[in-house]
Amino acid sequence: MKASKKRSYLLLVACAALFLGASSLRAFDDGFSYDRKFEGKYVTVYCAPGLDLPRLAPQLNILPTDAILAGRPWKAGDPTDGELAPMLDTLFVQVSDILDMHLESFKTDIKICGTDKELAGIYKLLFGKDLEGHRAFYIYDLNTIYVAPDAFRQGAVGHEMSHAIISHYFDVSAPSRVQEVLSLYVEDSLKKKT
Ligand SMILES: [Zn+2]
């Protein structure tokens, strides 16, 4: 039991908001272009080439009622590329409400990778080590969420959004373990809602 407790603690810390040194940032190019960039109110979304966005967007499972309850506009019809940002805005409002942490003028980037390998490659470039098991992560210094295409779901994206919000909400950064507990609470709340 002791070993499993230690393992779960390591996973928690590994999943928290990640910080970089200034030297890592200077040389960093994640390869995302501005060709498939969509601006929302709370998020800017970048999509890797080749991603089928009309198929990807429904994975978020954002319903018209979610948008209405979050006070966000809802456009009827099949999701097209441009509707991804409003859906993520709705999710951002939901996560802020669950945390009861509302940041003024805050915006974060979300970059959807083409493959798991691409996500792992970005992590390796940033940290010089393998991405062990995670399908999404948030980098504080870049204010960016990176996510694998299969992990582009309400729970996982909401979890990483909560890291972005929590790490900018407090003047003094909360311990990473506390941040992770809150992020798991957000993920769980979103799962219960659906
Ligand atoms: Zn986490």
Side-chain angles (χ1 to χ4, degrees):
M1 289 302 283
K2 199 175 176 184
S4 69
K5 267 189 180 173
K6 190 177 178 189
R7 181 172 159 71
S8 68
Y9 172 73
L10 288 173
L11 282 173
L12 290 181
V13 172
C15 188
L18 302 166
F19 294 84
L20 291 167
S23 56
S24 306
L25 285 172
R26 269 196 296 273
F28 182 64
D29 174 12
D30 61 15
F32 274 83
S33 76
Y34 288 80
D35 295 348
R36 301 182 89 192
K37 174 187 168 190
F38 308 103
E39 288 285 355
K41 185 177 178 185
Y42 305 106
V43 300
T44 304
V45 197
Y46 296 81
C47 304
L51 282 176
D52 183 354
L53 300 189
R55 281 188 63 186
L56 199 66
Q59 286 182 195
L60 275 181
N61 200 21
I62 299 293
L63 305 173
T65 46
D66 294 323
I68 292 161
L69 287 171
R72 304 295 307 155
W74 179 264
K75 205 169 125 194
D78 291 335
T80 59
D81 292 7
E83 287 174 55
L84 204 58
M87 283 182 178
L88 287 162
D89 275 343
T90 295
L91 182 57
F92 187 93
V93 172
Q94 288 179 324
V95 172
S96 299
D97 286 346
I98 292 167
L99 289 168
D100 198 14
M101 293 180 190
H102 298 273
L103 291 166
E104 281 189 30
S105 310
F106 179 73
K107 202 164 177 178
T108 189
D109 287 350
I110 298 179
K111 297 189 173 182
I112 312 168
C113 297
T115 61
D116 288 9
K117 202 176 164 188
E118 204 175 293
L119 181 79
I122 289 170
Y123 188 88
K124 183 116 186 178
L125 207 61
L126 285 166
F127 298 102
K129 55 186 178 185
D130 293 333
L131 176 64
E132 290 171 358
H134 296 296
R135 314 289 306 285
F137 52 85
Y138 172 72
I139 308 281
Y140 177 85
D141 306 74
L142 300 169
N143 188 21
T144 300
I145 293 165
Y146 288 98
V147 59
D150 290 348
F152 188 71
R153 295 177 187 278
Q154 200 175 120
V157 177
H159 180 115
E160 300 308 326
M161 278 180 174
S162 71
H163 278 308
I165 293 167
I166 294 163
S167 58
H168 284 85
Y169 187 78
F170 298 104
D171 290 334
V172 178
S173 182
S176 55
R177 198 172 181 184
V178 172
Q179 292 188 28
E180 187 56 25
V181 169
L182 287 172
S183 295
L184 289 169
Y185 170 72
V186 166
E187 191 173 341
D188 198 42
S189 300
L190 289 168
K191 279 179 185 159
K192 278 181 184 157
K193 182 181 71 61
T194 52

